């Protein structure tokens, strides 16, 4: 005999992971096999967990030093990492869908951000639809309330999250969300011109050695769902098919 009480029908709040900011990057406090918490950066395109070697050793991760994994470094080149295995990883109340990691030296990341970086995790490791609530500073599993300004996001084959911006009030522009991108918004200049976004807008070009190395301009408006940029100054890149939002 099962007797249902009113409390049995109460809907429990979804588990969530607290977020914090490290020089503009989003990080989650993560435990590995009960050790930690450690600060893991969120990278929307990370295909696997990356863990600092010293942190992995301290957390008791099994490191197979005779097995190497090729992974991209910060400059785009390939670097070698060890293969590590662990039993469980949690970010707040969320269990990450992973039991292995690329183990390498992340001291350069720590020096760059000014505080220890223990690892990197991709949004795919949280499973299902992910909602990043910037105001509450938490990450939740589940779709946002459309009335709250949520936007539909897909993913490409490389794991980058994709959606549409609305520029200058009515022009849809494809873009990718890159949590590792240090800028606010970048658009390929060819794409911006093809969509007639630049018009007579002034373009600031910074030249080094006679070669154009950077450019910026200002759009009339940029919308991401229901949110608008207060100062829609954007970087212009020479080539590309999509914008990039940091």
């Amino acid at each position: 005999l099962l007797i249902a009480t009113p409390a049995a029908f109460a809907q429990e709040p979804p588990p969530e992971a607290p977020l914090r900011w490290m020089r503009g990057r989003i990080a989650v406090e993560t435990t590995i096999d009960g050790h930690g918490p450690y600060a893991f950066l969120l990278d929307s395109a990370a295909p696997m967990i990356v863990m600092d070697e010293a942190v992995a050793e301290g957390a008791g991760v099994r490191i197979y030093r005779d097995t190497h994994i090729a992974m991209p470094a910060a400059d785009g080149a390939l670097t070698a990492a060890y293969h590590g295995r662990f039993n469980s990883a949690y970010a707040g109340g969320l269990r990450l869908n992973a039991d292995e990691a690329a183990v390498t030296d992340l001291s350069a990341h720590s020096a760059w951000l000014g505080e220890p970086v223990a690892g990197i995790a991709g949004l795919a490791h949280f499973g299902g639809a992910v909602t990043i609530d910037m105001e509450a500073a938490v990450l939740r599993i589940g779709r946002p309330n459309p009335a709250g300004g949520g936007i539909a996001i897909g993913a490409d084959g490389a794991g980058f999250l994709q959606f549409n911006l609305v520029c200058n009030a009515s022009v849809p522009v494809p873009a990718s969300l890159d949590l590792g991108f240090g800028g606010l918004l970048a658009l390929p200049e060819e794409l911006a011109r093809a969509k007639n976004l630049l018009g007579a807008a002034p373009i600031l070009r910074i030249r080094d050695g006679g070669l154009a190395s950077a450019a910026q301009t200002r759009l009339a408006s940029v919308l991401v769902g229901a949110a608008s940029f207060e100062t829609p100054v954007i970087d212009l890149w020479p080539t590309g098919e999509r914008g990039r939002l940091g």
Side-chain angles (χ1 to χ4, degrees):
L1 177 65
L2 177 64
I3 300 177
T5 65
F9 294 100
Q11 186 176 3
E12 295 184 0
E16 58 188 32
L19 303 176
R20 66 186 183 91
W21 280 261
M22 299 172 66
R23 284 188 61 183
R25 305 296 190 275
I26 299 177
V28 290
E29 296 296 325
T30 304
T31 58
I32 306 294
D33 288 344
H35 297 271
Y38 308 109
F40 273 57
L41 294 178
L42 279 181
D43 184 342
S44 54
M48 68 182 304
I49 298 289
V50 180
M51 200 177 302
D52 181 73
E53 186 173 357
V55 170
E57 291 174 345
V61 173
R62 301 179 296 280
I63 303 175
Y64 302 93
R65 301 184 186 277
D66 57 345
T67 304
H68 291 82
I69 301 172
M71 56 174 291
D75 59 1
L78 290 179
T79 185
Y82 298 125
H83 181 212
R85 296 191 69 89
F86 51 89
N87 296 319
S88 64
Y90 283 86
L94 301 175
R95 179 164 182 163
L96 276 62
N97 296 331
D99 59 4
E100 59 182 359
V103 179
T104 188
D105 180 10
L106 294 179
S107 59
H109 292 70
S110 300
W112 176 46
L113 294 176
E115 55 183 302
V117 175
I120 301 170
L123 292 181
H125 298 118
F126 292 88
V130 173
T131 295
I132 296 178
D133 189 331
M134 303 295 281
E135 292 185 356
V138 295
L139 181 149
R140 301 186 184 94
I141 301 299
R143 299 188 180 277
N145 181 357
I151 60 174
I153 295 179
D156 64 9
F160 282 100
L161 304 182
Q162 298 184 344
F163 54 94
N164 278 327
L165 304 169
V166 178
C167 298
N168 293 352
S170 62
V171 182
V173 176
S176 296
L177 176 66
D178 185 353
L179 299 180
F181 175 45
L184 175 65
L185 174 64
L187 292 181
E189 186 169 347
E190 293 179 354
L191 176 65
R193 292 193 182 280
K195 290 184 172 289
N196 297 317
L197 290 176
L198 301 182
I203 297 177
L204 171 65
R205 297 191 186 276
I206 303 171
R207 296 182 178 273
D208 182 10
L211 298 176
S213 57
Q216 288 186 327
T217 190
R218 182 185 296 273
L219 300 182
S221 65
V222 178
L223 287 174
V224 184
S228 63
F229 287 98
E230 294 181 4
T231 54
V233 175
I234 64 169
D235 297 320
L236 292 174
W237 290 355
T239 60
E241 298 179 351
R242 308 183 68 86
R244 180 170 293 186
L245 182 70

